[in-house]
């Protein structure tokens, strides 16, 4: 009897296990049926053969705009960005099902997508407005409503966005939004908010400080953005990316520079505008830029405008008190030198640069590759920038008080650390590749300012790797700056009145066999500069908006290597010379006059 009961119990145990398995199989079947039903509703097509070519989408998704797990990301990209080999037109695929993400959609106008309640990723670049049904997709983690170049762009983000509580990534770049709804503060799981190139955006939400998990706030190229709520940014202590910070104009509700103080995880690019509103050097010091060791690009703009131009400070006269205050502000914005690679300073009205920029070999500048000084009307002297060992690009723009450019930037000291491997020479600007000199109205006399040897007769080599040179509006430059035309120079742009260089280019003819491109724009004279027809290595020559220029086509015959000649908005030339006149230049394959091909031969 005992053995019978044990056998019966064992039997019931097996029956119970089988019953449990049956329930599980039934549940799986029901889920598969639901998936099949969703597939039909969403017009998905099943592939019956692994040999069948994949159908493609015409989505405008950019590689760098997709974040997430690498495997899922690659699946998305391979589907969206490959090209078809068998069909000329692309087939739109509204939903791509991806295990683990809940699906990827790039068509918010398709009503069927709102039945996919577990959708995780939605891209709607074609939308001017957001369908109300979108806020039913409460499982969304990624929402991209940025504007594609062919779409009108989103104008209003509805307040119902607060229903998307699981949202981690929100991209509103290039849209026409003027502001964000205050309900955005409810998106406490948001980690990335992109507002890049939102031209109409005027302010950030008052409650932005409640986005406690925010890691990346991208707001560059937002010229209308003048207001950050006070106390908002400083609460975002986990921020890794803050591409732009606006110092308020004194409003009690606006942000102050000290709010950057505790954001020590910031990395990459940081651009600060409105620095002229900082009240003192001590207030600037509260930003604690020296502690932000992962900042690689720093922009310090004392004006309120993000872009260049306009030149709004050129005609303004600053008081002595303001000048001293701004000098103190810049001195106390010293950044950490370890990873700083790019530095921009704009609209600074001080007479001098701070100590952290002057002793260049040991200074914050020692590792930078790019430096721009722009619209600094009172700055008379520049540091010895030629000693910067890693500088590759230098832009000096609208420095209306600088007179002796060469004497400043090419200063050499005894025992200089810029020496080359040969003890008999010193190299200044050893890695400089691009130099821009724009609007230096007082730049003058150079012949005795630029050294050729040191005090112990060591030879000085200047800019041996310079490839590209731009010079614009330097009307007092009466002596050719020979040091700006090293043998490796490949491209030159001369714009406006560049005084002696508008009349002669003989400096370019010496030991320079690599110059292949010359552009002359807004030229003030009627004849070509002396020596231009001796630049026999030229392959491209362009004249643009030269109102008074007049020359005969045969003057270009000596330029035997020339392959492309472009002339635009030069009224005398186009009026005086016909298509037949240019035909004598048989050695030039491509000639373009006012956008029309006079001669084209590939």
């Amino acid at each position: 009897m005992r053995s019978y009961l044990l056998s019966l119990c064992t039997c019931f145990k097996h029956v119970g296990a089988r019953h449990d398995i049956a329930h599980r199989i039934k549940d799986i079947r029901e889920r598969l049926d639901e998936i099949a039903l969703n597939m039909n509703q969403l017009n998905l097509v099943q592939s019956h053969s692994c040999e069948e070519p994949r159908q493609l989408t015409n989505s405008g998704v950019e590689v760098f705009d997709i974040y997430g797990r690498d495997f899922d990301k690659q699946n998305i990209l391979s589907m969206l960005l490959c090209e078809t080999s068998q069909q000329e037109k692309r087939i739109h695929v509204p939903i791509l099902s991806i295990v683990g993400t809940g699906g990827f959609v790039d068509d918010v106008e398709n009503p069927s997508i709102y039945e996919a309640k577990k959708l995780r990723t939605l891209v709607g670049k074609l939308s001017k407005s957001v369908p109300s049904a979108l806020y039913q997709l409460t499982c969304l983690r990624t929402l991209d409503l940025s504007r594609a170049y062919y779409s009108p762009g989103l104008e209003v983000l509805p307040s119902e966005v607060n229903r998307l509580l699981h949202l981690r990534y929100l991209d509103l770049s290039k849209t026409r939004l003027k502001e964000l709804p205050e309900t955005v503060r409810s998106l406490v799981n948001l980690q990335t908010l992109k507002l890049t190139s939102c031209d109409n955006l005027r302010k950030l939400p008052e409650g932005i400080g409640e986005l406690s998990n925010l890691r990346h706030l991208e707001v560059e190229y937002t010229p209308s953005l003048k207001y950050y709520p006070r106390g908002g940014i400083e609460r975002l202590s986990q921020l890794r990316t803050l591409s732009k910070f606006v110092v308020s104009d004194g409003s009690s509700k606006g942000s102050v520079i000290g709010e950057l103080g505790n954001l020590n995880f910031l990395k990459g690019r940081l651009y600060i505008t409105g620095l002229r509103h900082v009240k003192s050097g001590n207030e600037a010091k509260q930003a604690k830029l020296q502690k932000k060791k992962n900042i690689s690009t720093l922009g310090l703009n004392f004006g309120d405008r993000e872009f260049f131009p306009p030149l709004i400070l050129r005609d303004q006269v600053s008081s002595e008190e303001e000048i001293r205050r701004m000098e103190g502000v810049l001195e106390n914005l010293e950044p950490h030198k370890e990873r700083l690679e790019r530095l921009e300073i704009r609209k600074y009205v001080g007479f001098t640069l701070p100590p952290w920029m002057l002793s260049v070999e040991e200074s914050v500048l020692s590792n930078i590759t790019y430096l721009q000084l722009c619209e600094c009307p009172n700055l008379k002297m520049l540091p010895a920038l030629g000693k910067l060992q890693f500088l590759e690009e230098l832009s000096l723009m609208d420095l209306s008080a600088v007179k002796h450019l060469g004497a400043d930037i090419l200063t050499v000291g005894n025992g200089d650390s810029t020496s080359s491997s040969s003890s008999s020479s010193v190299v200044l600007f050893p890695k400089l590749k691009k130099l821009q000199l724009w609007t230096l109205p007082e730049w003058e006399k150079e012949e005795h300012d630029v050294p050729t040897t040191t005090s112990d007769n060591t030879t000085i080599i200047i800019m041996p790797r310079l490839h590209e040179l731009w010079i614009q509006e330097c009307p007092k430059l009466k002596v050719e700056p020979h040091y700006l035309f090293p043998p490796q120079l490949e491209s030159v742009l001369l714009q406006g009145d560049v005084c002696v260089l508008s009349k002669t280019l003989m400096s370019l003819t010496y030991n320079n066999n690599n110059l292949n491109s010359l552009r002359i724009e807004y030229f003030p004279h009627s004849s070509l500069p002396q020596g231009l027809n001796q630049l026999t290595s030229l392959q491209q020559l362009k004249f643009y908006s030269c109102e008074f220029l007049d020359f005969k086509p045969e003057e270009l015959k000596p330029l035997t290597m020339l392959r492309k000649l472009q002339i635009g908005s030069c009224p005398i030339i186009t009026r005086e010379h016909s298509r037949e006149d240019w035909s004598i230049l048989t050695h030039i394959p491509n000639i373009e006059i006012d956008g029309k091909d006079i001669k084209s031969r590939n």
Side-chain angles (χ1 to χ4, degrees), residues 134-184:
L134 182 143
Y135 304 109
Q136 300 173 19
L137 304 176
T138 54
C139 290
L140 276 180
R141 265 61 170 178
T142 297
L143 177 59
D144 184 349
L145 297 175
S146 61
R147 180 176 67 90
Y149 70 92
Y150 46 78
S151 69
L154 186 67
E155 294 182 353
V156 176
L157 183 67
S159 59
E160 289 85 356
V161 70
N162 66 339
R163 298 180 188 174
L164 306 179
L165 294 177
H166 297 289
L167 207 60
R168 265 70 166 175
Y169 177 95
L170 176 60
D171 189 352
L172 301 168
S173 298
K174 303 177 184 177
T175 57
R176 298 181 180 180
L177 294 172
K178 293 182 179 179
E179 59 184 20
L180 301 181
E182 283 299 324
T183 54
V184 165

Side-chain angles (χ1 to χ4, degrees), residues 164-165 167 184-191 210-214:
L164 306 179
L165 294 177
L167 207 60
V184 165
R185 68 174 68 192
S186 300
L187 303 178
V188 293
N189 291 304
L190 196 65
Q191 296 180 1
E210 297 181 25
L211 302 178
S212 56
N213 286 300
L214 199 64

Side-chain angles (χ1 to χ4, degrees), residues 386 389 418-420 425-430 459-464:
Q389 292 292 286
T418 57
S419 299
S420 67
S425 65
V426 170
V427 182
L428 298 179
F429 291 108
T459 301
I460 298 175
I461 300 172
I462 302 173
M463 305 180 192

Side-chain angles (χ1 to χ4, degrees), residues 28-45:
I28 291 172
R29 285 177 175 174
E30 288 176 351
R31 292 173 61 187
L32 289 174
D33 289 341
E34 183 180 354
I35 291 172
L37 180 61
N38 285 338
M39 183 180 74
N40 292 330
Q41 290 176 338
L42 299 175
N43 299 317
L44 295 178
V45 178

Side-chain angles (χ1 to χ4, degrees), residues 463-480:
M463 305 180 192
R465 298 187 182 182
L466 187 66
H467 290 168
E468 187 173 354
L469 173 65
W470 292 15
I471 304 179
Q472 171 191 305
E473 294 295 344
C474 302
K476 292 188 177 181
L477 185 62
K478 297 179 180 179
V479 178
E480 290 183 84

Side-chain angles (χ1 to χ4, degrees), residues 553-555 557 579-587 599:
E554 51 262 33
E555 293 183 58
K557 273 192 170 183
R579 177 187 293 263
E580 288 71 26
D581 294 333
W582 298 103
S583 64
I584 66 170
L585 299 176
T586 56
H587 65 289
K599 182 181 178 184

Side-chain angles (χ1 to χ4, degrees), residues 352-363:
T352 62
L353 292 172
W356 57 265
M357 292 185 67
L358 296 179
S359 301
V360 294
E361 293 151 294
E362 293 83 25
S363 76

